[in-house]
């Protein structure tokens, strides 16, 4: 596997055999950076970091030029700038990313109706049913890459394989701006030398457990008896590794995927110990999460609060709402309840609020009366102002001005937009 900076990439020749394939995994290359470069061409070919300029914020994305210095996503911006002092820091622009994502997803759906978005910048496509219309999977992938570039100015990498898991691995190995085809009969040979941590869903802890037992490659995992994997990882993960190591992945491309959660996180310029300031930030986050719920036509059944303390330990608490809601005040009250139940043993570095177990708005039985009618009018005013003037044009009075003891504004507003595994 490459290091995420384009070194070690593998790509297929133009006449590569694609027999037995039919699943494409399309992954946009350094998407946030590419969108920023499209907006400002002077950034092309330069080391670029997407993130807030404050050193305590984190890297959302980095150009391949910056990655070659060791810059990675989720790395503190200060550390990234020490590794790459010439990097240009560009603030995130999520409305622009969402617009670009809609462009590329439309192109995908022009090719096949069987499109399964995984996130804002990647998707699975099942092209087995459109071969007569567009040609072989390899030809479709090449045509698709060319059209994405021509229509949007953005590049993507595509893996073509018989299963979702292998297609996703192939697209990663071909980055950036590459195409890698893995014939069905070549699946075992393709998988065997790859590191065991490259298996989809095998995280750092599982990887460490396997490495400690001498299981370093996917080929090693394939040769390991199933009971050994079960004892090391537990039955569920053991079965997953056993199957994926053999190229067994029966999952189909699903077009009815829904968002699992929507959230926002804030990293503070300096650590916060004042509970009053934290309560204000919870309400600020709740309004932003609620706005995205309403825009997407969702209501949340559960609210989750995340705190990261000064020593980087992280704590998460959640609660189920009496009724699903996309009202900012209701989400904020739930966040306050969760915060009040936490012992602030240290000052807080990061705070996040997430809406979970999403349901289509209005899908539950309505109450006899609307206790949130007034708050809905407040939310409608916020939505209207945001649409006309941008986020922050209007806000709650309680969130204006310095808080007692002085407010420390967030340095890295970061949305979370998670999709099911």
């Amino acid at each position: 596997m490459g290091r995420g900076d384009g070194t070690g990439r593998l790509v297929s020749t133009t006449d590569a055999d694609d027999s037995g394939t039919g699943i494409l995994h399309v992954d946009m290359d350094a998407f946030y950076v590419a969108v920023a470069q499209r907006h400002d061409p002077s950034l092309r070919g330069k080391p670029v970091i997407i993130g807030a300029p404050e050193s305590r914020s984190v890297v959302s994305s980095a150009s391949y030029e910056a990655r070659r210095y060791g810059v990675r996503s989720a790395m503190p911006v200060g550390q990234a700038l020490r590794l790459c002092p010439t990097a240009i820091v560009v603030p995130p622009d999520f409305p622009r990313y969402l617009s670009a994502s809609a462009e590329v997803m439309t192109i995908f759906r022009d090719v096949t109706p069987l499109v399964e978005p995984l996130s804002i910048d990647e998707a699975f496509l099942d092209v087995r049913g459109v071969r007569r219309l567009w040609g072989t999977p390899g030809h479709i992938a090449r045509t698709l890459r060319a059209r994405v570039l021509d229509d949007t100015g953005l590049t993507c990498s595509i893996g073509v394989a018989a299963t979702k898991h292998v297609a996703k691995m192939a697209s990663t190995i071909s980055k950036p701006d590459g195409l890698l085809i893995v014939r069905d009969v070549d699946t075992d040979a393709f998988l065997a030398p790859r590191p065991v941590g490259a298996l989809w869903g095998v995280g750092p802890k599982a990887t460490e457990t396997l490495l400690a037992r001498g299981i370093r490659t996917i080929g090693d995992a394939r040769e390991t008896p199933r009971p050994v994997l079960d004892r090391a990882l537990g039955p569920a993960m053991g079965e997953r590794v056993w199957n994926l190591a053999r190229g067994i992945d029966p999952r189909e491309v699903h077009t009815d995927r829904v968002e699992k959660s929507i959230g926002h996180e804030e990293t503070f310029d300096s650590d916060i110990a004042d509970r009053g300031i934290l309560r204000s930030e919870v309400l600020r986050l709740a309004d932003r999460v609620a706005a995205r719920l309403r825009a997407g036509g969702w209501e949340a059944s559960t609210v989750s609060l995340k705190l990261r303390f000064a020593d980087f330990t992280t704590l998460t608490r959640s609660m189920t709402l009496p009724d699903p809601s996309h009202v900012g005040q209701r989400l904020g009250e739930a966040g306050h309840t969760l915060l009040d139940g936490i012992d602030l043993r240290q000052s807080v570095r990061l705070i996040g609020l997430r809406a979970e177990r999403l349901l289509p708005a209005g899908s539950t039985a309505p109450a006899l009366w609307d206790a949130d009618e007034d708050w809905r009018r407040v939310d409608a005013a916020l939505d209207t102002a945001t649409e006309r003037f941008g986020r922050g044009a209007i806000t709650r009075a309680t969130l204006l001005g310095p808080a007692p003891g002085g407010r420390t504004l967030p340095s890295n507003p970061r949305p979370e937009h998670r999709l099911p595994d």
Side-chain angles (χ1 to χ4, degrees):
M1 299 288 285
R3 296 182 299 154
D5 60 3
T7 59
R9 73 192 274 269
L10 298 175
V11 296
S12 294
T13 60
T14 56
D15 59 348
D17 185 359
D18 60 3
S19 58
T21 66
I23 305 298
L24 276 56
H25 180 257
V26 187
D27 198 356
M28 304 303 296
D29 297 321
F31 182 61
Y32 290 178
V33 172
V35 173
Q37 291 171 332
R38 184 176 71 168
H39 177 69
D40 180 1
S42 70
L43 298 174
R44 296 187 187 278
K46 298 178 181 178
V48 176
I49 293 171
I50 302 297
E54 293 82 2
S55 62
R56 289 168 57 88
S57 66
V58 298
V59 176
S60 295
S61 182
S63 67
Y64 289 94
E65 291 82 3
R67 295 183 193 190
R68 292 182 184 122
Y69 287 85
V71 177
R72 297 289 182 269
S73 296
M75 174 183 289
V77 169
Q79 180 184 354
L81 289 174
R82 287 192 293 273
L83 292 171
C84 184
T86 60
I88 302 169
V89 180
V90 178
D93 190 334
F94 292 99
R96 188 169 287 146
Y97 305 151
L98 290 171
S99 176
S101 176
E103 292 178 53
V104 297
M105 294 297 171
T106 297
I107 295 173
F108 298 166
R109 293 187 177 96
D110 284 346
V111 174
T112 173
L114 298 180
V115 176
E116 179 182 332
L118 286 183
S119 66
I120 194 173
D121 63 345
E122 61 176 320
F124 285 114
L125 283 68
D126 186 337
V127 299
R128 291 174 294 185
V130 295
R131 294 175 59 118
R132 290 186 178 181
L133 185 63
W134 303 117
T136 69
H139 178 75
I140 292 172
R142 282 185 281 271
T143 303
L144 184 60
R145 291 182 63 245
R147 182 178 169 191
V148 168
L149 180 60
D150 290 345
D151 290 2
T152 71
L154 305 173
T155 65
C156 63
S157 299
I158 302 182
V160 182
T163 66
K164 294 168 74 172
H165 173 241
V166 176
K168 185 173 174 65
M169 285 186 64
S171 69
T172 301
I173 295 171
S174 71
K175 286 180 127 346
D177 194 18
L179 166 65
L180 183 59
I181 299 171
V182 181
R183 295 188 306 167
D184 188 19
V185 296
D186 295 333
T187 297
D188 286 350
F190 170 76
L191 291 174
R194 312 291 165 200
V196 71
L199 288 171
W200 196 359
V202 177
K205 289 186 177 179
T207 300
E208 183 179 350
T209 298
L210 293 169
L211 292 176
R213 288 161 174 77
I215 304 171
R216 301 185 177 280
T217 67
I218 296 176
D220 294 337
R222 187 186 304 155
E223 299 301 322
T224 302
R226 171 70 185 278
V228 175
L229 293 174
D230 288 352
R231 285 195 299 270
L233 304 172
M237 180 59 77
E239 179 182 16
R240 182 188 187 97
V241 170
W242 194 88
N243 284 324
L244 293 182
R246 288 163 172 75
I248 301 171
D249 182 10
R251 293 172 298 177
E252 297 290 336
V253 172
H254 295 291
T255 61
D256 58 349
R257 297 177 72 90
V258 298
E259 294 173 285
K260 187 195 299 185
S261 66
I262 290 176
H264 279 279
E265 295 181 351
E266 309 280 12
T267 300
F268 297 111
D269 285 329
S270 57
D271 299 338
I272 301 296
D274 187 313
R275 191 178 291 271
I277 294 178
L278 294 175
R279 287 176 63 87
S280 293
E281 294 306 327
V282 166
L283 192 55
R284 185 196 306 273
L285 292 170
D287 281 336
R288 295 178 63 186
V289 170
R292 292 178 63 197
L293 288 172
R294 293 190 297 272
W298 301 106
E299 291 179 324
S301 301
T302 299
V303 172
S304 175
L305 181 72
K306 173 181 176 181
L307 296 181
R308 179 166 296 148
F309 294 102
D311 64 356
F312 283 87
T313 59
T314 302
L315 181 150
T316 303
R317 295 287 185 270
S318 62
M319 65 177 292
T320 299
L321 300 174
D323 298 293
S325 179
H326 55 203
V327 175
Q329 183 69 18
R330 289 288 166 249
L331 303 187
E333 289 174 354
H336 286 163
T337 299
L338 294 168
L339 179 64
D340 292 344
I342 297 174
D343 178 17
L344 299 181
R345 60 186 184 277
Q346 297 183 51
S347 54
V348 175
R349 174 186 176 88
L350 173 149
I351 190 167
L353 190 84
R354 190 167 67 249
E356 300 175 332
R357 292 176 56 205
L358 307 189
L359 299 171
S363 61
T364 57
L368 294 178
W369 65 88
D370 186 0
D372 290 333
E373 181 179 357
D374 291 341
W375 288 115
R376 292 183 195 279
R377 285 199 290 267
V378 171
D379 286 341
L382 289 171
D383 292 344
T384 299
T386 298
E387 182 178 353
R388 293 186 61 187
F389 305 112
R391 186 169 60 83
I394 182 172
T395 189
R396 297 170 184 259
T398 56
L399 300 180
L400 294 174
R407 174 183 300 281
T408 302
L409 292 176
S411 66
N412 186 41
R414 206 156 49 99
E416 291 182 314
H417 196 158
R418 298 187 180 181
L419 293 164
D421 297 327

